[in-house]
Amino acid sequence: MRSFLPKLFSRRQVLRSLGGVASVAGAAALGLGQGSKPAPQGEVGGHSGHYMGAADPKQMGHGNNLTVGAVDHQANGFDPLRLLVDWDYGKVSTLPSGQTLREYEFVAQEKEIEIAPGVFFPAWTYNGRVPGPTIRCTEGDRIRVRFTNSSSHPHTIHFHGIHPAEMDGTPLPGNGGLVQPGQSFTYEFTAEPFGCHLYHCHSLSLKRHIHKGMYGAFVVDPKGGRPPAREFVMVMNAFDTNFDGGNEVYAVNSVAFEYARRAIPLKLGELVRIYLINVLEFDLINTFHLHANMFDYYDHGTTLEPTLRRVDTISQVQGQRGIVEFRYKFPGMYMFHPHVSEFTELGWMGHFNVVRPEDFAEALQSVGLDAAWDQKSLQGSTVPWKGGEQA
Ligand SMILES: [Cu+2]
């Protein structure tokens, strides 16, 4: 099934196959037919083929469009469930001035990743993963990223935020320039302002370099922190598997339907905070819709007060991001997905499994998670909450 999709199927043909007018080969290419690896026990979805409306969460889903089987996360080198809480604080030290220094090593590497069961994509990566590491720091920290290009194309790292021109990571003269294969460049700046930012390659063609996988989250905590919450990073991305200038597979954190197959555990009533980033290329807009709930939204995460209150759908253009906050009032299995239905049907859809505290350990265990994941999701911030006072 390797490299099957690119040769044979256009985006529309794939969409039709997912809509149920399937050609057998199209279904097989997205893991809907024979030859897929079986889904491990205890995971949502599986082989039933009739997911919608089932009372048992293990049988539910979003119509007939879940993939069958599982991606090999070990071969990929990242598991989307663990990636949700995989904050990278860098190597931390204190400069003579008293400023906190966070040092990172980034390496550009070409790597084939599995984005849906049996569908492989020749990615360009930072540190072998898509998205790249989630940089997490406090506003005012010194960030030092030593970038080495171990791939065969020139790349850069362009950070969003406020910094000097020479650290901007673009090909423009005086902007850091292209880092050629085999070369290194060190980006260094003070992290500001606080917010939910991103970084990405700024080589040309920009859309090709970004969409190949060269992007990641850059979360800057306010000096006084934010109220305690269960936190996740979600990078909404997509892949042009046949290089026709349109995406065939959509996801959050790269693997189609992974959070539908393995629902994200939440505790009833707890505050949930999502650092949400849209890195789509080719499609101008992405959206986030939460089922059976409303959320507050902080556009770009650069404010402490919501910029939108009590909404259930927000839009993000390319490169836009923000913070989503909500609590669930009732236990149960809830979908989240874009209200661009086409993206939903092509892989960008997940579930939250909202349970009572006494059932939480079981919910974790059923998707292969443990107490360490729970701790990381609750204690991601670099700053303890100071009750609303900002330093
Ligand atoms: Cu690049």
Side-chain angles (χ1 to χ4, degrees):
M1 236 183 302
R2 233 171 146 85
S3 302
F4 200 80
L5 193 62
K7 292 196 187 84
L8 293 179
F9 293 95
S10 74
R11 159 200 184 87
R12 301 298 155 185
Q13 283 169 317
V14 169
L15 182 63
R16 274 202 301 279
S17 78
L18 287 167
V21 195
S23 73
V24 171
L30 270 173
L32 294 164
Q34 58 187 359
S36 299
K37 290 163 275 180
Q41 272 196 333
E43 293 170 351
V44 178
H47 264 91
S48 103
H50 298 284
Y51 308 100
M52 193 59 118
D56 178 356
K58 290 184 173 121
Q59 297 292 315
M60 72 178 288
H62 210 257
N64 199 22
N65 53 19
L66 286 177
T67 45
V68 172
V71 157
D72 186 341
H73 303 304
Q74 226 166 0
N76 270 353
F78 59 90
D79 173 349
L81 262 291
R82 294 185 181 276
L83 211 144
L84 287 169
V85 300
D86 191 13
W87 321 108
D88 192 333
Y89 304 107
K91 190 180 132 210
V92 185
S93 60
T94 306
L95 292 167
S97 64
Q99 190 178 23
T100 297
L101 172 68
R102 297 179 188 272
E103 294 176 89
Y104 296 86
E105 294 282 341
F106 273 40
V107 180
Q109 298 167 270
E110 284 150 27
K111 184 173 176 178
E112 189 175 61
I113 58 170
E114 194 179 8
I115 55 172
V119 180
F120 291 82
F121 181 77
W124 296 348
T125 75
Y126 293 118
N127 292 1
R129 44 173 276 177
V130 180
T134 297
I135 292 182
R136 187 138 192 191
C137 62
T138 311
E139 186 180 47
D141 289 350
R142 196 77 179 159
I143 305 297
R144 184 180 293 163
V145 182
R146 182 177 158 78
F147 176 49
T148 303
N149 188 351
S150 295
S151 78
S152 57
H153 300 268
H155 299 298
T156 77
I157 310 178
H158 164 67
F159 288 87
H160 286 227
I162 301 170
H163 49 246
E166 59 268 28
M167 293 299 153
D168 202 37
T170 82
L172 201 65
N175 274 217
L178 296 174
V179 181
Q180 298 296 332
Q183 294 191 337
S184 293
F185 185 88
T186 300
Y187 299 94
E188 184 169 333
F189 53 88
T190 294
E192 63 173 326
F194 70 78
C196 175
H197 304 309
L198 77 155
Y199 61 82
H200 58 84
C201 180
H202 217 294
S203 291
L204 301 174
S205 122
L206 189 56
K207 63 178 181 287
R208 183 58 68 194
H209 279 254
I210 292 177
H211 131 275
K212 284 282 262 181
M214 305 198 79
Y215 46 76
F218 173 37
V219 176
V220 182
D221 294 318
K223 287 178 179 170
R226 294 181 189 273
R230 183 175 301 285
E231 296 190 327
F232 302 123
V233 67
M234 291 192 179
V235 178
M236 303 190 287
N237 54 359
F239 302 91
D240 175 9
T241 56
N242 59 3
F243 303 100
D244 66 347
N247 296 309
E248 277 72 46
V249 176
Y250 293 78
V252 159
N253 296 339
S254 302
V255 179
F257 295 123
E258 185 63 17
Y259 303 125
R261 197 176 69 81
R262 295 160 71 209
I264 301 170
L266 299 183
K267 273 184 200 166
L268 189 61
E270 70 181 346
L271 179 63
V272 179
R273 179 176 299 125
I274 298 172
Y275 296 92
L276 182 74
I277 297 171
N278 177 31
V279 295
L280 280 199
E281 287 299 329
F282 311 121
D283 296 288
L284 299 182
I285 201 165
N286 206 334
T287 78
F288 178 94
H289 168 56
L290 187 63
H291 274 230
N293 211 339
M294 293 282 165
F295 57 81
D296 285 349
Y297 184 68
Y298 305 68
D299 192 20
H300 289 70
T302 46
T303 60
L304 296 169
E305 290 297 319
T307 51
L308 278 174
R309 286 184 193 270
R310 291 174 74 85
V311 296
D312 67 11
T313 307
I314 56 98
S315 302
Q316 291 184 345
V317 295
Q318 295 178 345
Q320 198 174 350
R321 63 277 178 196
I323 297 174
V324 170
E325 282 185 354
F326 58 89
R327 301 171 194 269
Y328 265 99
K329 192 173 178 182
F330 305 104
M333 194 72 80
Y334 299 98
M335 289 179 199
F336 61 99
H337 60 87
H339 232 293
V340 185
S341 306
E342 177 182 351
F343 301 172
T344 303
E345 289 164 4
L346 290 171
W348 171 178
M349 194 272 284
H351 297 141
F352 288 116
N353 182 18
V354 181
V355 300
R356 293 188 169 81
E358 58 268 32
D359 299 325
F360 192 68
E362 191 190 332
L364 284 174
Q365 192 262 330
S366 72
V367 290
L369 299 176
D370 50 23
W373 182 92
D374 185 30
Q375 285 307 300
K376 280 176 122 176
S377 70
L378 292 173
Q379 294 172 8
S381 179
T382 53
V383 190
W385 171 237
K386 291 175 183 148
E389 266 179 52
Q390 293 297 314

